[in-house]
């Protein structure tokens, strides 16, 4: 059964919701922000903890985010996942600071190519059960290409059955942001959801474009309950008007 999973996106030390394709490594000139919190990261971590929203991910979007991330993790030791700048050198640090799992993307793709040595190092450091691979992607025709560096750089890796089956040997979950629709609240990439359900042998969380509480039922139907959903900019706790956090919690309790 599809579940609602939470997110806490941190940029420049503050919880924000950002239009995915506008985030750049070099400058914030073109950055489009849907929401900037006045409350600390711990506030949102507390909300998720008190309502049992397991699998929630904390994502550090660039420098200056470590303190806010540690603050969130401290609220719910062993209950939150952490991503953004994760490497084999610092993964254990985040586990020691309370992360249930670490989420990795760009580190696995130096020069935009999948590095199996790095993948194995991370696996050996924290173990399969504590590792989540973020395969956030951009659509190119009828294919999805893994994107790194805040979704600005396309890698050599396509999301397909072969890729997911191989990588599933090293991690316990996949996190997939559909970067082309992330933050737009104009609807999910239904084809990608169907493909993820068909191809992945391990749990998958999808994020990107969700705009209605009905998207939980839609993804449940499209994926046969195999894919979970994260809401971002549409959610009322992030200033959105389209989806109620309380309604998402009720969905989880009733399903």
């Amino acid at each position: 059964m599809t579940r609602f999973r939470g997110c806490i996106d941190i940029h420049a030390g503050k919880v924000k919701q950002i239009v995915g394709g506008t985030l750049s490594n070099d400058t914030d000139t073109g950055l489009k922000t849907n929401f900037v919190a006045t409350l600390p990261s711990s506030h949102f971590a507390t909300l998720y903890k008190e309502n049992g929203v397991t699998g929630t991910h904390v994502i550090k979007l660039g420098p200056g985010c470590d303190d806010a991330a540690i603050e969130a993790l401290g609220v719910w030791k062993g209950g939150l996942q952490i991503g953004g700048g994760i490497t084999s050198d610092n993964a254990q640090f985040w586990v020691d600071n309370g992360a249930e799992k670490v989420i990795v993307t760009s580190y696995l793709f130096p020069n935009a190519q999948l590095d199996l040595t790095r993948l194995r190092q991370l696996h050996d450091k924290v173990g399969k059960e504590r590792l989540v691979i973020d395969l956030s992607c951009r659509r190119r025709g009828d294919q999805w290409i893994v994107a790194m560096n805040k979704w600005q750089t396309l890698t050599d890796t396509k999301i397909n059955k072969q890729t997911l089956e191989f990588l599933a040997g090293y991690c316990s979950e996949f996190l997939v942001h559909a970067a082309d629709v992330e933050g737009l609240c104009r609807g999910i990439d239904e084809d990608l959801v169907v493909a993820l359900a068909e191809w992945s042998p391990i749990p998958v969380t999808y994020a990107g474009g969700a705009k209605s509480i009905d998207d939980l039922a839609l993804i449940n139907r499209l994926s046969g309950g195999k894919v979970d959903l994260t809401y971002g900019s549409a959610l009322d706790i992030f200033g959105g008007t389209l989806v109620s956090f309380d309604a998402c919690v009720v969905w989880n309790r009733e399903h």
Side-chain angles (χ1 to χ4, degrees):
M1 179 64 67
T2 293
R3 306 276 295 171
F4 161 61
R5 293 202 182 198
C7 68
I8 303 173
D9 293 347
I10 302 171
H11 179 259
K14 294 184 178 181
V15 175
K16 298 183 182 182
Q17 283 294 311
I18 292 170
V19 178
T22 70
L23 198 58
S24 170
N25 278 331
D26 303 318
T27 176
D28 289 340
T29 302
L31 185 70
K32 294 181 180 179
T33 303
N34 290 330
F35 172 78
V36 180
T38 56
L39 294 167
S41 60
S42 56
H43 166 78
F44 299 95
T46 299
L47 270 181
Y48 290 127
K49 179 182 181 180
E50 290 180 346
N51 290 281
V53 185
T54 58
T56 290
H57 52 269
V58 179
I59 303 296
K60 301 184 291 122
L61 298 170
C65 298
D66 285 1
D67 289 346
I70 290 172
E71 180 180 337
L73 294 178
V75 168
W76 194 1
K77 295 277 188 178
L80 301 171
Q81 303 176 3
I82 183 77
I86 301 298
T87 71
S88 59
D89 290 332
N90 65 26
Q92 189 61 49
F93 168 84
W94 290 106
V95 171
D96 292 343
N97 274 275
E100 176 198 12
K101 301 184 181 186
V102 293
I103 306 167
V104 63
T105 311
S106 297
Y107 176 72
L108 295 181
F109 295 92
N111 303 312
Q113 296 179 323
L114 179 61
D115 187 321
L116 297 183
T117 299
R118 289 188 173 190
L119 175 61
R120 292 177 180 124
Q121 286 174 343
L122 259 175
H123 172 272
D124 292 345
K125 279 288 180 67
V126 298
K128 174 183 169 76
E129 290 307 311
R130 287 198 181 272
L131 186 59
V132 178
I133 296 180
D134 184 333
L135 295 177
S136 296
C137 60
R138 289 185 174 275
R139 189 166 186 162
R140 294 295 181 263
D142 61 351
Q143 297 181 325
W144 295 274
I145 312 299
V146 176
M148 55 179 275
N149 292 333
K150 305 182 183 69
W151 309 322
Q152 297 300 307
T153 303
L154 295 180
T155 71
D156 66 345
T157 301
K158 299 175 183 177
I159 293 183
N160 54 36
K161 184 177 178 65
Q162 181 180 7
T163 297
L164 296 186
E165 287 183 343
F166 173 77
L167 293 176
Y170 294 90
C171 65
S172 57
E173 297 180 31
F174 295 121
L175 173 63
V176 180
H177 291 82
D180 297 310
V181 298
E182 174 76 16
L184 298 179
C185 300
R186 296 176 185 167
I188 64 170
D189 186 334
E190 295 187 19
D191 294 336
L192 178 56
V193 170
V194 171
L196 292 171
E198 178 182 346
W199 295 336
S200 179
I202 60 175
V204 184
T205 297
Y206 168 91
K211 61 179 182 177
S212 165
I213 189 64
D214 296 333
D215 284 329
L216 280 164
L218 174 60
I219 287 185
N220 187 60
R221 176 176 60 81
L222 292 173
S223 71
K226 295 180 179 179
V227 176
D228 291 338
L229 174 63
T230 290
Y231 289 99
S233 296
L235 205 57
D236 57 359
I237 63 171
F238 298 129
T241 60
L242 300 175
V243 181
S244 159
F245 175 77
D246 290 342
C248 294
V249 171
V250 169
W251 167 276
N252 279 1
R253 289 174 179 166
E254 294 182 349
H255 297 82

